[in-house]
Amino acid sequence: MRPTRRRTRLLLAAPVVVAALAVPLGVHAARGADSGTEAEPPKPEPAGSECRTSVEGSRVVAYCHNPYPSTDLVRLHTECDRWWDVDADGAAVAVEPGRTVRLEDRCWKEVATAWVSHRPAPV
């Protein structure tokens, strides 16, 4: 009866051993390590406007210049210092290649922070 138990254990363990040996080989082949060269990811085309934001008292002014060949959409976001003063998110403005736009906003009293967000224009 002993040889049957041993044979059963070996038959049950064989698929586990085969799977343990096959998985690393599959991962190795999937990574492309056999080719000897790794493919570099494509470099994204530079895009986006360069913006300068200034705050004077309760007014915010931002100038955004787009030196790249694709259109950029910019929005001015203003957060006011006082709790009762309404924060504002400006409308998206398209900055064409080689153009500069001026964005303005204000608070009733002091400005806490102001920033410009970017996103590519739909094609």
Side-chain angles (χ1 to χ4, degrees):
M1 200 179 281
R2 272 195 144 162
T4 307
R5 283 186 185 172
R6 189 177 305 149
R7 193 176 330 149
T8 304
R9 287 182 188 155
L10 287 174
L11 288 174
L12 290 175
V16 174
V17 171
V18 170
L21 293 174
V23 168
L25 291 174
V27 170
H28 184 71
R31 287 186 181 162
D34 293 336
S35 64
T37 60
E38 292 186 24
E40 290 185 27
K43 293 181 181 176
E45 181 179 308
S49 300
E50 298 169 0
C51 297
R52 293 181 316 235
T53 306
S54 64
V55 176
E56 291 184 22
S58 63
R59 296 193 178 275
V60 178
V61 177
Y63 291 96
C64 295
H65 177 72
N66 184 7
Y68 300 111
S70 59
T71 303
D72 188 27
L73 294 176
V74 295
R75 292 179 70 179
L76 178 61
H77 305 274
T78 306
E79 190 173 301
C80 301
D81 196 29
R82 307 291 175 128
W83 66 269
W84 45 263
D85 207 348
V86 180
D87 299 339
D89 297 323
V93 176
V95 185
E96 300 290 329
R99 300 285 182 161
T100 301
V101 297
R102 177 184 167 137
L103 307 170
E104 296 181 74
D105 200 8
R106 66 180 296 271
C107 294
W108 285 104
K109 292 284 187 174
E110 301 87 11
V111 175
T113 59
W115 68 94
V116 177
S117 64
H118 303 263
R119 75 168 193 242
V123 178

